[in-house]
Amino acid sequence: MTQTPATGATYADSGVDTDAALSGLDRLLKWVARARHGDGTGVGASALEPEFFASVVDLGGGQGLALSTDGVGTKVLVAQMVDKYDTIGIDCVAMNVNDLICVGAEPLAMLDYLGVERVDADIFEEIGKGLHAGAELANISIPGGEISQMREVIRGVSDGTGLDIVGTAVGLVDLQRLVVGDGIEDGDVVVGLQSNGIHSNGLTLARRVLFKEMNLAPNSNVAEFGHSAAEELLRPTAIYVRPAMDMLREGIPVKAFSHITSDGFLNLLRVRSQMGYHLHTLPETPAIFQVIQQGGGLADEEMFLVFNMGIGFGVVVAQEHATVVQAVSRRHGFDSWILGTADSTQPGRVFVEPVGLMGEDDRFRRL
């Protein structure tokens, strides 16, 4: 990989201010954190700190209820551009269940919420197809949901097409078998499973670069992709439930799972162990990220903060278990790579050595 200097737009320039979001979240959580059942201990209490990928509530009897809620962001705008809605439901399922499994929970069900500018039965059916496909891949049910018509609030790329889709998923986990990064040691390895492209993060920046700065038509063919820009962006987020659950069922002593979303490899730090990581190896950068980086003149620091860069899921295990993790991943159709190792002397830092970056405190900078 070559180092690319900063010359172009940033995520903030595109309208996503992550610093403001973090500040706002802190103030929100100040109040939400007080919404605890009873005295905050025992049944009904939160079993995990809020920085983990999913929340877990103590059900009693050693069982925890894992919960996750997420949407697909501005990927819905790409669907509207080309009137193609049959995959964003998969994304909605994926963004939720991929977080649940990061704490070792087995996903059970998801509720969906559709906020729309107006009801279009054809669009709803296409979204339903994606939700069904996602549920099949994740081995969950979707027992219900909600529709809200908010013409004054929601707007789309053309009149009447506005919509947002969000899900809330639940799963069960043995509280004695939570996977939260306890006991990670020096020399433990990070196995990275391939992504399916851009997934559902960074679409605001991607759309700005591809459709404004590069002036690509959504339906026009892009040589590097072998199909249109919109088709590439709409590739559904990979669902990692089956390989992750098989790893646990087969007794692999997984120390941490990480869903690689916004903040990229910094998501590896969302563990209990005070640990850092040296990533020595990366797969070849998928074409979508190469095109976005070159077309927008984006720095590596921005790319690795906003996008998954080809790795959608991370698994931390002792070195002797890495090949078994890779075998399970391969069995489920995912290529994987041993990306690097844990290092207790660099807590809170992720070194992405192939591009000369160090991530810390929600930022990447040059080494």
Side-chain angles (χ1 to χ4, degrees), residues 32-364:
V32 173
R34 301 178 187 179
R36 295 287 186 261
H37 174 76
D39 62 1
T41 62
V43 177
S46 175
L48 282 180
E49 299 85 352
E51 64 265 23
F52 293 103
F53 289 91
S55 301
V56 177
V57 175
D58 188 345
L59 293 177
Q63 286 292 301
L65 180 70
L67 304 104
S68 169
T69 188
D70 206 347
V72 308
T74 62
K75 196 163 189 171
V76 297
L77 296 178
V78 182
Q80 292 169 35
M81 286 177 178
V82 293
D83 194 29
K84 186 179 187 300
Y85 299 92
D86 61 336
T87 58
I88 58 172
I90 301 175
D91 292 292
C92 188
V93 173
M95 294 303 289
N96 283 282
V97 297
N98 287 345
D99 279 355
L100 285 183
I101 59 178
C102 286
V103 299
E106 181 169 8
L108 297 177
M110 190 189 86
L111 301 179
D112 64 276
Y113 166 81
L114 274 172
V116 297
E117 187 175 354
R118 74 179 182 203
V119 173
D120 184 309
D122 292 333
I123 291 175
F124 273 36
E125 181 169 10
E126 293 301 296
I127 292 172
K129 291 177 182 178
L131 290 169
H132 173 264
E136 292 265 302
L137 290 168
N139 196 31
I140 64 168
S141 64
I142 302 179
E146 181 67 25
I147 297 169
S148 179
Q149 299 182 59
M150 299 186 292
R151 192 175 183 87
E152 298 89 352
V153 175
I154 296 179
R155 292 287 186 269
V157 296
S158 59
D159 185 51
T161 64
L163 67 89
D164 190 21
I165 181 170
V166 179
T168 297
V170 298
L172 287 178
V173 60
D174 184 332
L175 294 180
Q176 298 301 311
R177 296 185 178 183
L178 285 168
V179 179
V180 289
D182 286 317
I184 298 175
E185 300 176 347
D186 290 331
D188 287 344
V189 299
V190 181
V191 180
L193 279 62
Q194 71 180 106
S195 70
N196 190 32
I198 200 167
H199 284 184
S200 298
N201 295 99
L203 272 295
T204 298
L205 180 55
R207 288 184 299 104
R208 172 174 172 152
V209 171
L210 296 176
F211 302 136
K212 292 185 178 179
E213 297 184 14
M214 296 180 67
N215 199 31
L216 295 175
N219 272 321
S220 64
N221 188 70
V222 177
E224 292 88 342
F225 305 154
H227 44 252
S228 72
E231 186 176 351
E232 179 64 29
L233 294 182
L234 287 174
R235 291 174 67 179
T237 305
I239 293 176
Y240 300 100
V241 171
R242 294 178 186 270
M245 290 298 99
D246 271 3
M247 290 175 201
L248 298 179
R249 278 191 286 263
E250 294 175 21
I252 299 172
V254 173
K255 298 188 178 184
F257 285 134
S258 298
H259 189 194
I260 308 302
T261 54
S262 58
D263 292 340
F265 293 121
L266 291 175
N267 284 289
L268 295 170
L269 300 173
R270 296 170 68 175
V271 295
R272 278 191 177 149
S273 297
Q274 294 299 304
M275 192 61 60
Y277 298 93
H278 290 272
L279 306 185
H280 316 299
T281 302
L282 293 177
E284 181 180 355
T285 305
I288 179 61
F289 304 120
Q290 294 183 39
V291 171
I292 290 171
Q293 181 163 22
Q294 294 165 10
L298 303 181
D300 289 332
E301 296 94 317
E302 191 74 11
M303 294 296 297
F304 278 82
L305 186 67
V306 176
F307 301 111
N308 66 61
M309 301 304 288
I311 298 294
F313 199 71
V315 185
V316 178
V317 290
Q319 188 170 11
E320 61 265 28
H321 301 298
T323 55
V324 184
V325 168
Q326 289 190 285
V328 173
S329 303
R330 186 165 51 250
R331 189 167 75 225
H332 289 278
F334 290 101
D335 288 336
S336 64
W337 299 264
I338 297 176
L339 303 179
T341 56
D343 180 3
S344 64
T345 70
Q346 297 287 345
R349 293 178 171 179
V350 178
F351 295 84
V352 189
E353 294 173 358
V355 289
L357 297 180
M358 188 272 282
E360 183 181 31
D361 296 331
D362 304 311
R363 288 287 181 274
F364 281 98

